[in-house]
Amino acid sequence: MSVLLQISPPSRQSAYRGLPVLALGFRPFYLLAALFGALSIAAWVAMYAGLWIPAAPPWLGGMLWHAHEMVFGFSAAVVVGFLFTAGKNWTGLQTPQGAWLGALAGVWLLARVLMWTGPAWAAIAADVAFLPLCSLSFYAILRRAKSQRNYGLAIALGLMGALNIGFHAAALAGRLDWSLYTSEAATGLVTVFVTVIGGRVIPMFTANAVPGVRIRRWATVERGVIPLTLLATLAAASPAPGWLVAVLALGAAVAQGVRLYGWDSMRTLRKPIVAILHVAYAFLPVGFLLIAAAAAGWIDRSTALHALTVGVIGCAIIAMITRTALGHTGRPLQTGTMEHLAYLLMILAAVIRVAGPLALPALKLQAVTLAGACWATSLILYAIKYAPFLTRPRLDGKEG
């Protein structure tokens, strides 16, 4: 498992002489995702609040566009960038770079433009091509390296692509409810990804950064947390009976909460680069408790879902795109004011988006608007500081 912490890429590859931004997967996809994540949320909040009525709105409609783009656009880009980067360290083989990486990033970017402008057939063609191409590229590397432990991640990426196809098929058939179910299932898949990768790296990062910290694991919890999380997310993203969703979500919340309890999170507060990972993970038990409450009819479904999308996924993304970008550009794993503001703003976005409508339902519009501003500003701060890191060679002269 120590390979997950390796910063320097394997040296047996031939030297890369192309554009630095295309040297490794995290570079184009982290930068594009940050810019798109800020712009798309700003656009959605402006439309939602009635502050902007675009002359040519998204061809899917504003709500479906938002639901689709935040998971199949923004989140997918970060997941692909992370897997291409980690995959090189896990296998010792070169993941997509240069022209092929640029082509994949180009397909993603084309899809984002067309998902707003249309025509629908072109948007769907570009959009559904991206994830299968990335999944096959990633699987080919894992297979060459016989990295069977990580096959599941390539399969999950392919499954996310299948859900994207399902989203478009349902939209074309006029079944907007099923389109939303598929986007929620994809959100659940990303939370499972956070559960899997978080369980691998958060305890190690914590132990490395905080001397004397005590990490505890319980075999029963470790065996059950991933299946429970997967079942809860699948049930929540389907027309399953409310009682079943509530039971599974409560089970997932308990498993996630007990797992996090063993990681001694309070000891990380003086290490923001580690603490933000614990905050992201803490939204897993909170999110599943809220999903159970929504299934029981106590709160609205949207608020519960945003505990996962903003709290878990948003905080996990800002945590990982800072940490991996620092390490893989040859920089120390040390954060400063810009990163700390970005972390704080993303946490505030999650708290305001979830707690605001629960505490003051009449002010939901204001809560959504303020949360969106915090989210967008967080990602803009990242883009401002990290664009030079991502577009220039490593400081240590190594490849990557």
Side-chain angles (χ1 to χ4, degrees):
M1 297 237 312
S2 62
V3 72
L4 292 169
L5 293 176
Q6 181 179 328
I7 295 300
S8 300
S11 59
R12 68 173 182 264
Q13 310 294 333
S14 59
Y16 172 72
R17 301 183 184 281
L19 294 173
V21 74
L22 299 177
L24 197 55
F26 77 97
R27 290 176 173 271
F29 284 116
Y30 285 7
L31 182 56
L32 288 171
L35 294 171
F36 177 73
L39 180 62
S40 60
I41 284 297
W44 164 243
V45 167
M47 290 188 289
Y48 179 82
L51 302 174
W52 178 48
I53 302 176
W59 60 272
L60 265 177
M63 193 260 294
L64 272 187
W65 173 81
H66 169 64
H68 178 274
E69 290 298 274
M70 294 318 294
V71 60
F72 295 114
F74 170 72
S75 298
V78 176
V79 169
V80 167
F82 176 84
L83 289 179
F84 281 0
T85 303
K88 184 173 181 178
N89 286 342
W90 294 338
T91 65
L93 299 177
Q94 181 60 59
T95 52
Q97 69 174 182
W100 180 233
L101 180 58
L104 291 173
V107 170
W108 180 88
L109 184 58
L110 178 64
R112 305 287 66 79
V113 173
L114 293 174
M115 285 300 296
W116 182 286
T117 66
W121 66 267
I124 294 171
D127 190 50
V128 303
F130 174 69
L131 283 168
L133 287 172
C134 293
S135 177
L136 290 172
S137 297
F138 185 55
Y139 174 73
I141 299 297
L142 297 178
R143 185 177 180 184
R144 283 176 56 201
K146 296 182 174 58
S147 183
Q148 296 180 0
R149 180 194 183 196
N150 294 303
Y151 281 2
L153 294 171
I155 294 170
L157 203 57
L159 179 57
M160 194 172 184
L163 289 170
N164 192 25
I165 293 172
F167 178 98
H168 288 294
L172 289 174
R175 292 300 306 268
L176 304 188
D177 54 340
W178 281 99
S179 287
L180 291 175
Y181 282 142
T182 59
S183 70
E184 290 177 17
T187 297
L189 196 60
V190 178
T191 64
V192 172
F193 178 85
V194 173
T195 300
V196 172
I197 298 298
R200 292 186 187 184
V201 303
I202 296 175
M204 288 189 292
F205 291 163
T206 303
N208 285 349
V210 184
V213 71
R214 183 185 176 194
I215 302 296
R216 289 169 291 176
R217 294 179 184 269
W218 296 275
T220 302
V221 173
E222 292 302 317
R223 283 195 297 267
V225 66
I226 295 173
L228 279 170
T229 300
L230 180 60
L231 288 172
T233 55
L234 290 176
S238 73
W243 67 265
L244 178 60
V245 175
V247 169
L248 290 172
L250 280 173
V254 170
Q256 295 284 12
V258 172
R259 190 190 212 193
L260 179 64
Y261 174 76
W263 294 349
D264 208 0
S265 299
M266 297 303 293
R267 294 281 301 277
T268 70
L269 293 180
R270 293 183 180 276
K271 299 284 185 178
I273 195 172
V274 179
I276 185 62
L277 289 166
H278 286 256
V279 172
Y281 206 93
F283 273 102
L284 280 166
V286 171
F288 283 113
L289 281 175
L290 292 177
I291 287 173
W298 298 340
I299 65 171
D300 70 279
R301 182 184 178 91
S302 174
T303 297
L305 180 64
H306 280 83
L308 299 180
T309 56
V310 187
V312 176
I313 298 174
C315 289
I317 282 176
I318 197 63
M320 292 308 295
I321 65 177
T322 51
R323 184 182 191 97
T324 56
L326 288 172
H328 285 277
T329 57
R331 290 171 168 81
L333 294 178
Q334 297 174 358
T335 51
T337 302
M338 290 278 272
E339 289 92 348
H340 300 165
L341 282 174
Y343 296 161
L344 177 60
L345 286 166
M346 190 62 75
I347 295 169
L348 285 174
V351 171
I352 293 168
R353 180 61 184 85
V354 174
L358 291 177
L360 299 168
L363 297 179
K364 180 178 180 178
L365 175 60
Q366 290 81 357
V368 171
T369 303
L370 182 57
C374 290
W375 168 289
T377 306
S378 173
L379 292 174
I380 289 170
L381 289 175
Y382 174 85
I384 290 172
K385 180 165 183 177
Y386 281 75
F389 300 175
L390 299 172
T391 56
R392 296 173 185 170
R394 288 177 60 118
L395 287 183
D396 55 14
K398 296 180 181 179
E399 183 182 336

Coordinates of all heavy atoms in Angstrom, one line a residue, residues 1-55:
M1 N 0.8 -1.2 0.0 CA 0.0 0.0 0.0 C 0.9 1.2 0.0 O 0.4 2.3 -0.3 CB -0.9 0.0 1.2 CG -1.9 -1.1 1.3 SD -3.6 -0.7 1.4 CE -3.6 0.5 2.7
S2 N 2.1 1.1 0.4 CA 3.0 2.3 0.3 C 3.1 2.9 -1.0 O 3.5 4.1 -1.2 CB 4.3 2.0 0.9 OG 5.0 1.0 0.1
V3 N 2.9 2.1 -2.1 CA 3.0 2.6 -3.4 C 2.0 3.8 -3.7 O 2.2 4.6 -4.5 CB 2.8 1.5 -4.5 CG1 1.3 1.0 -4.5 CG2 3.2 1.9 -5.9
L4 N 0.9 3.8 -2.9 CA -0.1 4.9 -3.1 C 0.5 6.2 -2.7 O 0.0 7.2 -3.1 CB -1.3 4.6 -2.3 CG -2.2 3.4 -2.7 CD1 -3.2 3.0 -1.7 CD2 -2.8 3.7 -4.0
L5 N 1.5 6.2 -1.9 CA 2.1 7.5 -1.5 C 3.3 7.9 -2.4 O 3.9 9.0 -2.2 CB 2.6 7.3 0.0 CG 1.5 7.2 1.0 CD1 2.1 6.9 2.4 CD2 0.6 8.4 1.0
Q6 N 3.7 7.1 -3.3 CA 4.8 7.4 -4.1 C 4.6 8.6 -4.9 O 3.6 8.8 -5.6 CB 5.1 6.2 -5.1 CG 6.3 6.4 -6.0 CD 6.5 5.2 -6.9 OE1 6.2 4.1 -6.5 NE2 7.0 5.4 -8.1
I7 N 5.5 9.6 -4.9 CA 5.4 10.8 -5.6 C 6.1 10.8 -6.9 O 5.7 11.2 -7.9 CB 5.9 12.0 -4.7 CG1 4.9 12.1 -3.5 CG2 5.9 13.3 -5.5 CD1 3.5 12.4 -3.8
S8 N 7.3 10.3 -6.9 CA 8.1 10.3 -8.1 C 7.7 9.1 -9.0 O 7.6 8.0 -8.6 CB 9.6 10.0 -7.7 OG 10.1 11.1 -6.9
P9 N 7.4 9.4 -10.3 CA 7.0 8.4 -11.2 C 8.1 7.4 -11.5 O 9.3 7.7 -11.3 CB 6.5 9.1 -12.4 CG 7.3 10.4 -12.4 CD 7.5 10.7 -10.9
P10 N 7.8 6.2 -11.9 CA 8.8 5.2 -12.3 C 9.8 5.8 -13.4 O 9.3 6.6 -14.2 CB 8.0 4.0 -12.8 CG 6.7 4.2 -12.2 CD 6.5 5.7 -12.1
S11 N 11.0 5.4 -13.3 CA 12.0 6.1 -14.2 C 12.3 5.3 -15.4 O 13.1 5.8 -16.3 CB 13.3 6.2 -13.4 OG 13.8 5.0 -12.9
R12 N 11.7 4.1 -15.6 CA 12.1 3.3 -16.7 C 11.4 3.7 -18.0 O 11.7 3.2 -19.1 CB 11.9 1.8 -16.5 CG 10.4 1.4 -16.4 CD 10.4 -0.1 -16.2 NE 9.1 -0.7 -16.2 CZ 8.4 -1.0 -15.1 NH1 9.0 -0.8 -13.9 NH2 7.2 -1.5 -15.1
Q13 N 10.5 4.7 -18.0 CA 9.8 5.1 -19.2 C 10.8 6.0 -20.0 O 11.6 6.7 -19.4 CB 8.6 5.9 -18.8 CG 7.6 5.2 -17.8 CD 7.0 3.9 -18.4 OE1 6.9 3.8 -19.6 NE2 6.7 2.9 -17.6
S14 N 10.6 6.1 -21.3 CA 11.3 7.0 -22.1 C 10.9 8.4 -21.8 O 9.8 8.7 -21.4 CB 11.1 6.7 -23.6 OG 9.7 6.8 -23.9
A15 N 11.9 9.3 -21.9 CA 11.6 10.7 -21.6 C 10.5 11.3 -22.4 O 10.5 11.2 -23.6 CB 12.9 11.5 -21.7
Y16 N 9.6 12.0 -21.8 CA 8.5 12.7 -22.5 C 9.0 14.1 -22.8 O 9.5 14.9 -22.0 CB 7.3 12.8 -21.5 CG 6.2 13.7 -22.1 CD1 5.4 13.3 -23.1 CD2 5.9 14.9 -21.5 CE1 4.4 14.1 -23.6 CE2 4.9 15.7 -22.0 CZ 4.1 15.3 -23.1 OH 3.1 16.1 -23.6
R17 N 8.8 14.5 -24.1 CA 9.3 15.8 -24.6 C 8.2 16.7 -25.1 O 8.4 17.7 -25.7 CB 10.3 15.6 -25.7 CG 11.5 14.8 -25.2 CD 12.5 14.6 -26.3 NE 13.6 13.8 -25.9 CZ 14.7 14.2 -25.2 NH1 14.7 15.4 -24.7 NH2 15.6 13.3 -24.8
G18 N 6.9 16.4 -24.8 CA 5.8 17.2 -25.2 C 5.4 18.3 -24.3 O 6.2 18.7 -23.4
L19 N 4.2 18.8 -24.5 CA 3.7 19.9 -23.6 C 3.6 19.4 -22.2 O 3.1 18.3 -21.9 CB 2.3 20.4 -24.1 CG 2.3 21.1 -25.5 CD1 0.8 21.3 -25.8 CD2 3.0 22.4 -25.4
P20 N 4.1 20.2 -21.2 CA 4.0 19.8 -19.8 C 2.6 19.5 -19.3 O 2.3 18.6 -18.6 CB 4.6 21.0 -19.0 CG 5.5 21.6 -20.0 CD 4.9 21.4 -21.3
V21 N 1.6 20.2 -19.9 CA 0.2 20.0 -19.4 C -0.3 18.7 -19.9 O -1.4 18.2 -19.3 CB -0.7 21.2 -20.0 CG1 -0.9 21.1 -21.5 CG2 -2.0 21.3 -19.2
L22 N 0.3 18.0 -20.8 CA -0.1 16.7 -21.2 C 0.8 15.6 -20.8 O 0.8 14.5 -21.3 CB -0.3 16.7 -22.8 CG -1.3 17.7 -23.4 CD1 -1.3 17.6 -24.9 CD2 -2.7 17.4 -22.8
A23 N 1.7 15.9 -19.8 CA 2.6 14.9 -19.3 C 2.0 13.8 -18.5 O 2.5 12.7 -18.5 CB 3.7 15.6 -18.5
L24 N 0.9 14.1 -17.8 CA 0.3 13.1 -16.9 C -1.2 13.5 -16.7 O -1.5 14.7 -16.8 CB 1.0 13.0 -15.6 CG 0.8 11.8 -14.7 CD1 1.0 10.4 -15.5 CD2 1.7 11.8 -13.5
G25 N -2.0 12.5 -16.5 CA -3.5 12.8 -16.5 C -4.0 13.8 -15.6 O -5.0 14.5 -15.9
F26 N -3.4 14.0 -14.4 CA -4.0 15.0 -13.5 C -3.9 16.4 -14.1 O -4.7 17.3 -13.7 CB -3.2 14.9 -12.1 CG -1.9 15.5 -12.1 CD1 -1.7 16.8 -11.7 CD2 -0.8 14.8 -12.6 CE1 -0.4 17.4 -11.6 CE2 0.5 15.4 -12.5 CZ 0.7 16.7 -12.1
R27 N -2.9 16.7 -14.9 CA -2.6 18.1 -15.3 C -3.8 18.7 -16.1 O -4.3 19.7 -15.7 CB -1.3 18.1 -16.1 CG 0.0 17.9 -15.3 CD 1.2 17.9 -16.1 NE 2.4 17.8 -15.3 CZ 3.1 18.9 -14.9 NH1 2.7 20.1 -15.2 NH2 4.2 18.8 -14.2
P28 N -4.2 18.1 -17.3 CA -5.3 18.8 -18.0 C -6.6 18.6 -17.3 O -7.4 19.5 -17.3 CB -5.3 18.0 -19.3 CG -4.7 16.7 -19.1 CD -3.6 16.9 -18.0
F29 N -6.8 17.4 -16.7 CA -8.2 17.2 -16.2 C -8.4 18.0 -14.9 O -9.6 18.4 -14.6 CB -8.4 15.7 -16.0 CG -8.7 15.0 -17.3 CD1 -7.8 14.0 -17.7 CD2 -9.8 15.3 -18.0 CE1 -8.0 13.4 -19.0 CE2 -10.0 14.7 -19.3 CZ -9.1 13.7 -19.7
Y30 N -7.4 18.1 -14.0 CA -7.7 18.9 -12.8 C -7.9 20.4 -13.2 O -8.8 21.0 -12.6 CB -6.5 18.9 -11.9 CG -6.3 17.6 -11.1 CD1 -7.1 16.5 -11.4 CD2 -5.3 17.4 -10.1 CE1 -7.0 15.3 -10.7 CE2 -5.2 16.2 -9.4 CZ -6.0 15.2 -9.7 OH -5.8 14.0 -9.0
L31 N -7.1 20.9 -14.1 CA -7.3 22.3 -14.5 C -8.6 22.6 -15.2 O -9.4 23.5 -14.8 CB -6.2 22.7 -15.4 CG -6.2 24.2 -15.8 CD1 -6.2 25.2 -14.6 CD2 -4.9 24.5 -16.7
L32 N -9.0 21.7 -16.1 CA -10.3 21.9 -16.8 C -11.4 21.7 -15.9 O -12.4 22.4 -15.9 CB -10.4 20.8 -18.0 CG -9.5 21.1 -19.2 CD1 -9.5 19.9 -20.1 CD2 -9.9 22.4 -19.9
A33 N -11.3 20.7 -15.0 CA -12.4 20.5 -14.0 C -12.6 21.6 -13.1 O -13.8 22.0 -12.8 CB -12.2 19.2 -13.2
A34 N -11.6 22.2 -12.6 CA -11.7 23.4 -11.7 C -12.4 24.6 -12.4 O -13.3 25.2 -11.8 CB -10.3 23.8 -11.2
L35 N -11.9 24.8 -13.6 CA -12.5 26.0 -14.4 C -14.0 25.7 -14.7 O -14.8 26.5 -14.5 CB -11.7 26.2 -15.6 CG -10.3 26.7 -15.4 CD1 -9.5 26.7 -16.8 CD2 -10.3 28.1 -14.8
F36 N -14.2 24.5 -15.1 CA -15.6 24.1 -15.5 C -16.5 24.1 -14.3 O -17.7 24.5 -14.3 CB -15.7 22.8 -16.2 CG -17.1 22.3 -16.6 CD1 -17.8 23.0 -17.6 CD2 -17.6 21.3 -15.9 CE1 -19.1 22.5 -17.9 CE2 -18.9 20.9 -16.2 CZ -19.7 21.5 -17.2
G37 N -16.0 23.5 -13.2 CA -16.8 23.4 -11.9 C -17.2 24.8 -11.4 O -18.3 25.0 -10.9
A38 N -16.3 25.8 -11.5 CA -16.6 27.1 -11.1 C -17.6 27.8 -12.0 O -18.6 28.3 -11.6 CB -15.4 28.0 -11.0
L39 N -17.4 27.7 -13.3 CA -18.2 28.3 -14.3 C -19.6 27.7 -14.3 O -20.6 28.4 -14.4 CB -17.6 28.2 -15.7 CG -18.3 28.9 -16.9 CD1 -18.5 30.4 -16.6 CD2 -17.6 28.6 -18.2
S40 N -19.7 26.4 -14.3 CA -21.0 25.7 -14.4 C -21.9 26.0 -13.2 O -23.1 26.2 -13.4 CB -20.8 24.2 -14.6 OG -20.1 23.6 -13.6
I41 N -21.3 26.0 -12.0 CA -22.1 26.3 -10.8 C -22.5 27.8 -10.8 O -23.7 28.1 -10.4 CB -21.3 25.9 -9.6 CG1 -21.3 24.4 -9.4 CG2 -22.0 26.6 -8.3 CD1 -22.7 23.8 -9.2
A42 N -21.7 28.7 -11.3 CA -22.1 30.1 -11.3 C -23.2 30.2 -12.3 O -24.2 31.0 -12.0 CB -20.9 30.9 -11.8
A43 N -23.2 29.5 -13.4 CA -24.3 29.6 -14.4 C -25.6 29.0 -13.9 O -26.6 29.6 -14.0 CB -23.9 28.9 -15.7
W44 N -25.4 27.9 -13.2 CA -26.6 27.2 -12.7 C -27.3 28.1 -11.6 O -28.5 28.3 -11.6 CB -26.3 25.8 -12.1 CG -27.3 25.3 -11.2 CD1 -27.2 24.9 -9.9 CD2 -28.7 25.0 -11.6 NE1 -28.4 24.5 -9.4 CE2 -29.3 24.4 -10.4 CE3 -29.4 25.1 -12.8 CZ2 -30.6 24.0 -10.4 CZ3 -30.8 24.7 -12.7 CH2 -31.4 24.2 -11.6
V45 N -26.5 28.6 -10.7 CA -27.1 29.4 -9.6 C -27.7 30.6 -10.1 O -28.8 31.0 -9.7 CB -26.0 29.7 -8.5 CG1 -26.4 30.8 -7.6 CG2 -25.6 28.5 -7.8
A46 N -27.1 31.3 -11.1 CA -27.7 32.5 -11.7 C -29.0 32.2 -12.3 O -30.0 32.9 -12.2 CB -26.7 33.1 -12.7
M47 N -29.1 31.0 -13.0 CA -30.4 30.6 -13.6 C -31.4 30.3 -12.5 O -32.6 30.6 -12.6 CB -30.2 29.4 -14.6 CG -29.5 29.8 -15.9 SD -29.4 28.5 -17.1 CE -28.3 27.3 -16.3
Y48 N -31.0 29.5 -11.5 CA -31.9 29.0 -10.5 C -32.4 30.2 -9.7 O -33.6 30.2 -9.3 CB -31.1 28.1 -9.5 CG -31.8 27.6 -8.4 CD1 -32.7 26.5 -8.5 CD2 -31.8 28.2 -7.1 CE1 -33.4 26.0 -7.4 CE2 -32.5 27.7 -6.0 CZ -33.2 26.6 -6.2 OH -33.9 26.1 -5.1
A49 N -31.6 31.2 -9.5 CA -32.0 32.4 -8.7 C -32.8 33.4 -9.6 O -33.2 34.5 -9.0 CB -30.8 33.0 -8.0
G50 N -32.9 33.2 -10.8 CA -33.5 34.1 -11.7 C -32.7 35.4 -12.0 O -33.2 36.4 -12.5
L51 N -31.4 35.3 -11.8 CA -30.5 36.4 -12.0 C -30.1 36.5 -13.5 O -29.6 37.5 -13.9 CB -29.3 36.3 -11.1 CG -29.6 36.3 -9.6 CD1 -28.3 36.1 -8.9 CD2 -30.2 37.6 -9.2
W52 N -30.2 35.4 -14.2 CA -29.8 35.3 -15.6 C -30.7 34.4 -16.4 O -30.9 33.2 -15.9 CB -28.3 34.8 -15.6 CG -27.8 34.6 -17.0 CD1 -27.8 35.5 -18.0 CD2 -27.1 33.5 -17.5 NE1 -27.2 35.1 -19.2 CE2 -26.7 33.8 -18.9 CE3 -26.7 32.3 -17.0 CZ2 -26.0 32.9 -19.7 CZ3 -25.9 31.4 -17.8 CH2 -25.6 31.7 -19.1
I53 N -31.2 34.9 -17.4 CA -32.0 34.0 -18.3 C -31.3 34.0 -19.7 O -31.3 34.9 -20.5 CB -33.4 34.6 -18.6 CG1 -34.1 34.7 -17.2 CG2 -34.2 33.7 -19.5 CD1 -35.5 35.4 -17.3
P54 N -30.5 32.9 -19.9 CA -29.7 32.9 -21.1 C -30.5 32.9 -22.4 O -31.6 32.3 -22.4 CB -28.9 31.6 -21.0 CG -29.7 30.7 -20.0 CD -30.3 31.7 -19.1
A55 N -30.0 33.6 -23.4 CA -30.7 33.6 -24.7 C -30.8 32.2 -25.3 O -31.8 31.9 -26.0 CB -30.0 34.6 -25.6

